[in-house]
Amino acid sequence: MGNKLTRSPMPFMHQLSDAIILLTKDFSIQEINSAAEKMTGWAQEELKGLPISSLLPDLNIKRNKQQAVLSGDIHDSMIVDVSIDDLGTDEAYQVCILKPVNTDVEEVNSGAIENFQEDLLVTLTNIVPDFIGIKDGYGKFVYANKFSGDIFGYPHTDFIGKTDADLAQLVPYFKPVFDYCIETDEGVWQEGKLQRCVEKIPTASGARIFDVYKIPVFDEEGVRKNLLVFGREITDQVLSHEKLQESESRYRLLAENSTDIISTHNVEGEMLYVSPACEQLLGYTPQELLSKKAFDLFHPSDIRQSLKVHEQLLKGSEISNFQFRLKSKKGEYHCVESTCRGIKDELTGEVIEIIAVTRDISERLEAEELLRKSDKLSIVGQLAASVAHEIRNPLTALKGFIQLFQSKGIVDCEKYYGIMLDELNRIEQIITELLILAKPQSKTVEKKGIKELIHYVVDLLDRQALVHNVHIVCDLEENLPLINCVENELKQVFINLVKNAIEAMPDGGIIHIDSERKGRNIEIIIQDQGCGIPPESLKKLGEPFYSTKEKGTGLGLMTSYKIIQEHFGQINIESDSGRGTAVQIILPIA
Ligand code: ADP
Ligand code: MG
């Protein structure tokens, strides 16, 4: 063997796995390697010197590459790829390489690969939670994965060779499913291309739903070869989708039938959905409002406020009972109230949509206004009754005296004049105070210093105070800012309050009047050391004609409350029965 190798013009040929025949220039066999010996079934010694045509009878020696039939010892007729080339190192020889078109060796190898791939595929198809099956052209299963067996409670390996009709007999519970498969399979064959269908498989715990792909495969002649069936379970998706739709339709039902307008908007304010209630209130159909900007329907004076609200919504706050006016199709404005909130993107947390519930409140506002009016009316009624009562008493007295004079002729009636004048004074006083309340006197609002006002009142009442042994002590902050006021009205308030303080101290005492600035307001406190007001009477203060005094009108506090209220201020009274009263007045700075 060593000698042979050294003499060989192609010494390495024995190491090559391809079948190689070394030919002389006249195409006679010089040498063959062991792969060729194996392929042809002949030994080198048996072939040496024979023409190549004895191995490859139909070989065309003019062609470099071709397929030819190898007549060997093993195969009757084996087709091989033949290539013939010059042996580059020695011109006296040519190399003929034979490659089997379908050799045993190759078959073994590819078989191994196929087996391996098949194993891999089977393993893979058995671990996926999807239904995978392959049927032949007659509907018999050639393959079914493990999952298929699990669903039908029948060993998947036993599917092989059976049709759906066979399986329907073996597992009757699933007959409707197999019947449905037979029907859809036939549809797929007839269509001749991939089809998708939904299959429902009943189980004890409810139906399982599959999204099924069916792929028909035909051979070259168009004959049915295989049907690939692939089904993915979508029960959860379908159920959650159904649930979502159900809750969505429930909410839609609410929205569509609500008398409130329910709407959603994008962040630009464009309407994405509007419930039909809009038609009743605004005269627009929901369709007409879609993609309109909500702001376009707002009253111009409400725009600024609504932009602020919009900004807050985008920041994530919820807005309740925002009142504004909406323009109807006819151009009329309606008072409405909205409660809105932003809907956030789950991922970014940013507000992406706004949902609003809007309600017509014009009727409510009217009712409220009516209530306010009727409240006023009842006060007027109350007042009228009290006025009548208060005035009738002195009038009765006066009438009595005059009747007395009349019946007795003119007599010395000096002693009655005093009483008559007192009663007339009382009527006059009541009328004056009522006029302050009732008459819309021409009011001029001016900027005034509170200090000057108080000094004026103190000067006015000082004499009266001294008669009662009362001292008024003022402690007023310097440079207090001015306030907007109707001068005479405020004077009247201070007169009423200081008078009350004097009257509360029949045995004398001190009245402290303090005033100072508190933020945007001025605070004035009138503090006395008088009888005080018992707690149960505190809530009656300000009621018309509530008085504990023999000659009181009970109108002073009521008038004062009204005036201070009109000055956008506030009166608070604190009292300690037996120790004194403090009246606090708060007025805004101009
Ligand atoms: P009038 O002074 O005519 O009685 P007002 O409306 O001024 O009417 O006061 C109503 C009532 O409130 C008084 O009758 C009195 O009982 C009580 N009142 C008001 N101010 C004081 C005060 N400083 N100290 C005690 N009681 C007061
Ligand atoms: Mg009074």
Side-chain angles (χ1 to χ4, degrees), residues 172-276:
Y173 180 73
F174 292 111
K175 186 169 185 306
V177 181
F178 289 117
D179 285 349
Y180 179 73
C181 288
I182 295 169
E183 195 187 313
T184 48
D185 283 6
E186 188 50 35
V188 175
W189 282 123
Q190 303 221 344
E191 277 292 320
K193 56 176 198 271
L194 182 146
Q195 302 276 302
R196 205 171 161 183
C197 60
V198 171
E199 285 182 4
K200 275 193 184 176
I201 298 181
T203 70
S205 54
R208 294 175 73 173
I209 303 159
F210 288 81
D211 183 12
V212 182
Y213 289 82
K214 297 191 171 185
I215 306 155
V217 179
F218 298 89
D219 68 11
E220 299 93 66
E221 271 97 49
V223 177
R224 297 176 181 187
K225 195 175 168 197
N226 285 121
L227 185 76
L228 315 180
V229 183
F230 174 85
R232 168 152 292 177
E233 182 158 16
I234 50 165
T235 315
D236 286 348
Q237 282 113 295
V238 170
L239 290 187
S240 65
H241 184 70
E242 275 173 8
K243 258 190 205 150
L244 197 73
Q245 270 190 330
E246 195 187 321
S247 82
E248 220 176 67
S249 71
R250 213 178 295 145
Y251 280 119
R252 196 160 273 266
L253 192 76
L254 276 179
E256 307 278 285
N257 291 291
S258 161
T259 46
D260 293 345
I261 302 178
I262 295 163
S263 52
T264 56
H265 310 253
N266 63 15
V267 286
E268 273 81 44
E270 284 168 4
M271 292 183 247
L272 306 174
Y273 167 79
V274 189
S275 70

Side-chain angles (χ1 to χ4, degrees), residues 256-383:
E256 307 278 285
N257 291 291
S258 161
T259 46
D260 293 345
I261 302 178
I262 295 163
S263 52
T264 56
H265 310 253
N266 63 15
V267 286
E268 273 81 44
E270 284 168 4
M271 292 183 247
L272 306 174
Y273 167 79
V274 189
S275 70
C278 64
E279 203 161 351
Q280 170 105 40
L281 178 63
L282 302 172
Y284 287 109
T285 62
Q287 209 57 37
E288 285 175 300
L289 288 178
L290 288 189
S291 70
K292 259 198 179 187
K293 279 204 171 180
F295 297 124
D296 293 345
L297 300 179
F298 283 34
H299 191 284
S301 332
D302 297 334
I303 294 275
R304 198 211 290 229
Q305 184 64 21
S306 54
L307 285 175
K308 267 192 207 157
V309 165
H310 189 72
E311 222 169 85
Q312 279 171 284
L313 281 170
L314 293 187
K315 281 186 196 149
S317 5
E318 180 171 326
I319 306 290
S320 318
N321 307 333
F322 166 53
Q323 290 190 7
F324 56 101
R325 284 155 290 178
L326 276 180
K327 197 171 168 180
S328 72
K329 203 172 178 180
K330 284 189 192 158
E332 293 161 351
Y333 281 100
H334 293 269
C335 290
V336 295
E337 187 179 81
S338 268
T339 296
C340 343
R341 65 177 300 179
I343 299 170
K344 291 180 181 167
D345 184 296
E346 272 177 25
L347 289 178
T348 61
E350 257 175 57
V351 170
I352 44 165
E353 224 173 278
I354 291 160
I355 180 159
V357 181
T358 306
R359 168 173 304 181
D360 180 10
I361 54 162
S362 22
E363 265 179 31
R364 193 181 83 198
L365 292 182
E366 272 166 29
E368 276 174 11
E369 180 60 26
L370 207 70
L371 209 67
R372 257 199 296 278
K373 272 190 195 146
S374 68
D375 223 30
K376 274 187 192 157
L377 279 177
S378 84
I379 289 177
V380 171
Q382 216 181 322
L383 207 64

